[in-house]
Amino acid sequence: MFKNYIKIAWRSLKKQPFFTFLNTFGLAIGMAGALLISLFIYDELSFDKMFADAERIYRIDADIKFGGAEIEASQTSAPMAGTLQHDFPQVESTVRFRDQGSMLLKKTGAEANTKELRATFVDSTFFDFFGIKLLVGDTKTALTQPNTLVLTKTAAEKHFGINSALGQSLVLDNTDTYTVTGVIDDLPKNSFLRDHSVFMAMAGLADSREDLWGNTNYYTFIKLIPTAKIEDFQAPLESILEKYLLPWAQQVFPGLTMESFAAAGNYYRYHTMPLTNIHLYSNRQSEMSANSSIQNVYILSFIALFLIVLASVNFMNLSTAHSLKRAKEVGIRKTLGSNKLDLVRQFLIESGLISFISLLLAMVLALVVLSFFNDLSGKSISIPFGNPFFWLIVLAATILLGLFSGSYPAFFMSRFMPVKTLKGGGQKDAGGGGIRNALVVFQFAISVFLIIATLVVYQQLNFIQGKDLGFTKDQIVLIDDTFAAENQVDTFKEEVVKLGKVESATLSSFLPTPSARSNTSFFKEGSREQENAIQMQIWNVDEDYIPTLNMELVAGRNFNDRFGTDSTAVIVNEAALPVLGMDAKEVLGTRISQDIDSENPEYYTVIGVVKNFHYESLREDIDALCLSMGRSTGNMAIKLNAGDFSNTIASIKGLWEKLAPGQPFSHRFMDDSFNTVYEAEQRLGKIFMVFSILSILIACLGLFGLAAFNAQKRTKEIGIRKVLGASIGQISYRLTTDFVKMVGVAILISLPLGWFAMNKWLQDFSYRIEIQWWMLLLAAFMALAIAIVTVSYQSIKAAIVNPVKSLRTE
């Protein structure tokens, strides 16, 4: 019987190729889009789940408000891990990381360095804690001794080869020599350690053993025993504050109590973050790797769902519209003894067959666009054809899609009365107009919503690109790791400035691009109470920093190395003025100190105020900051004159190779570094644009088919109107109007929804656009124009047919 159903379904589909193509292609587009998005979401949700006992691992975070600054820290103090291990029986083990960023490595005695992008100090418990195995070496001893390190497989191959790496020596950043005691496999791309390739023994880091509870520079992870519940751990965790942090703070602020700390408007709270939640739920200061957002997962989930629903709605619409052609077939089948259930089965098998054909086409489409999608999403996703679980899900989803898409048409057509259909009546009812119109409205409401989202995301990105940042990022080239030139670094700067196309240059490890930095507590002269503390970052710069980056001084003067007193001078930004309680003129000459526990503190004198500039993402407010004239040779920023940059950079590279032979030359443009901060938003904008186009394409396929069937159903009406003198324009207008009304209703529904949803998305940015009326109007116009163009083709085609032929056909 089932074989017979399949035969009849196949013949039916072959007999109506136009209808079959529209349904199959529409479903295939929806399925291909949903498949790719589903693989992306699976990858996002899989982060850090590969580690042993991942469900029992948590990171200790801290929320701090002190000195006018609010900090959401992903790091805690050095003694936190040992204290938790000792005081809390729920804690099975702990591990700490102290991230060092990029480092230069070279073999002992060699001149040339190789750059490793991420290096970190880590406790020797690292291997057992995460279940990481060594390819070479012993996990029990690999990181127990000072000045030892473990390399990833790729890093080891780069320097020595895996099998010969053990026992070799490496010089890090031209200073300390380390011995290689192990090699691990490259860490997965979906882990928080994905960019790290060098792991150094924590035993060699002096401050890892110091009792400095006030510092927050160690990532602390704990693993609970199997029977422990994290909910029962949170309350005891808070006891750390009074038992350990308060006594340490009282050494600096005698008489301090938790009550007086809170009364000054401050707070200090510890809490836990599950390891497997970090990638999607954590957006804290100084994360170990770039995280995503659960919001993006929700958005993409809705887009995938929308694509599938749009394709299903197309199927329902076209099937119900096409039902007038099959009304007599249903009548004959019922007359010959078929019952309603038999007809439902037949129509559902037809929809299932279309679903499976669409699945094959969707797989082909997904493979064709996979590389483009990977570029779009920044992933390396592959379709897991060899995974049986993947096929189980795909086949189950295809069957469900076929049942969902075909259910309404099947039950709708199986209700036809044979008496009416065989007489030729009941054709007006066969169209299912009300529900069909509602489905068209739903399709276009989704499409308009996605168009609005695309416009808003791109406008916000344009706003970010054009925002006055308080410094010049264009025509600024950055040279990384200039410290590698050692005693030639000043000569390098002098020679670079002599180049014809170079306007100026500055040496500093601190640049106004987002990176891991920490605040320092300052106090005005004569004020040492905790309630008067001022939290600021302090950056060491040279006298060329402000002019090279084209920053603006609103009061006072710039540094001058001819003034000996400028070694203890600072320039504060405007954001520091409210916390200092002064205006730009009053603050000049103010003395501040960061030596809070010294009897004879060293004071800095404020000599200038620089206009606020953005040194973090535009999602963040600008916080207090001070610049200090000091030696810091991590990077060089070079301001170029307009012209051919490539020749100038080649000249700079030539100078570097002459003065720092064997050291890697790494350069980038500051505007590119700035743009990478907003990669997530740029990708989201592109994804919205691509899937908006797909949703409109699917909706238009359905609209095109409906317009064709509508024109076919009204063939006699069109012929009579032409005979009575109606023009082609009048007929086209009448055939188009109904569809335009439906799109108009969709626009009215989607505009407020789109405005509300995207307004909520914009709240993540401290500096953002307002959604303008023209964005909503443009989205409405685009949807309306696309709908009119789609329907007009069929309307005009029907209107130009000879009325004699139309009436003879009827």
Side-chain angles (χ1 to χ4, degrees), residues 194 229 237 245 263 485 543 611 731 742 803:
R194 59 188 176 275
K229 293 182 179 178
L237 181 62
L245 182 61
E543 63 178 341
K611 183 180 177 182
I731 292 171
M742 287 186 277

Side-chain angles (χ1 to χ4, degrees), residues 171-364:
V171 179
L172 274 59
D173 280 347
N174 293 339
T175 53
D176 299 320
T177 301
Y178 280 73
T179 302
V180 179
T181 55
V183 177
I184 61 173
D185 211 344
D186 290 340
L187 290 153
K189 292 295 183 185
N190 57 341
S191 85
F192 76 102
L193 294 170
R194 59 188 176 275
D195 298 323
H196 290 74
S197 56
V198 182
F199 298 86
M200 300 169 288
M202 190 73 78
L205 192 62
D207 75 357
S208 68
R209 299 182 294 277
E210 294 181 5
D211 200 33
L212 298 174
W213 279 95
N215 293 353
T216 53
N217 40 27
Y218 286 82
Y219 300 97
T220 303
F221 290 84
I222 62 169
K223 182 186 290 187
L224 298 183
I225 61 174
T227 56
K229 293 182 179 178
I230 193 63
E231 297 82 9
D232 300 331
F233 181 73
Q234 184 62 44
L237 181 62
E238 293 295 324
S239 68
I240 293 283
L241 293 171
E242 289 203 45
K243 190 173 180 181
Y244 295 100
L245 182 61
L246 182 61
W248 176 87
Q250 286 171 338
Q251 298 174 31
V252 182
F253 306 112
L256 177 69
T257 64
M258 295 304 294
E259 291 73 21
S260 63
F261 185 73
N266 301 319
Y267 56 76
Y268 208 120
R269 307 180 189 120
Y270 293 124
H271 58 87
T272 56
M273 169 65 71
L275 172 66
T276 53
N277 282 4
I278 289 174
H279 181 67
L280 292 176
Y281 292 92
S282 185
N283 184 28
R284 294 181 159 263
Q285 189 180 83
S286 306
E287 295 280 356
M288 282 192 78
S289 57
N291 290 336
S292 185
S293 167
I294 192 64
Q295 185 185 55
N296 291 345
V297 171
Y298 291 147
I299 289 170
L300 291 173
S301 298
F302 281 120
I303 289 176
L305 182 63
F306 286 163
L307 287 175
I308 288 293
V309 171
L310 284 172
S312 297
V313 165
N314 254 10
F315 187 96
M316 293 177 189
N317 264 345
L318 293 173
S319 296
T320 53
H322 195 70
S323 62
L324 67 92
K325 275 193 167 184
R326 303 192 67 177
K328 284 187 179 179
E329 176 193 337
V330 172
I332 292 169
R333 284 178 178 278
K334 281 194 170 185
T335 303
L336 295 175
S338 292
N339 58 37
K340 185 176 179 179
L341 188 59
D342 291 331
L343 291 169
V344 167
R345 280 200 200 100
Q346 178 62 54
F347 293 133
L348 286 177
I349 286 173
E350 284 185 24
S351 67
L353 188 57
I354 288 178
S355 290
F356 275 99
I357 295 170
S358 300
L359 173 63
L360 295 176
L361 183 56
M363 286 293 180
V364 173

Side-chain angles (χ1 to χ4, degrees), residues 51-57 92 128-129 223 275:
F51 293 121
D53 307 314
E55 71 285 354
R56 294 195 278 128
I57 298 175
E92 180 181 297
D128 289 338
F129 190 93
K223 182 186 290 187
L275 172 66

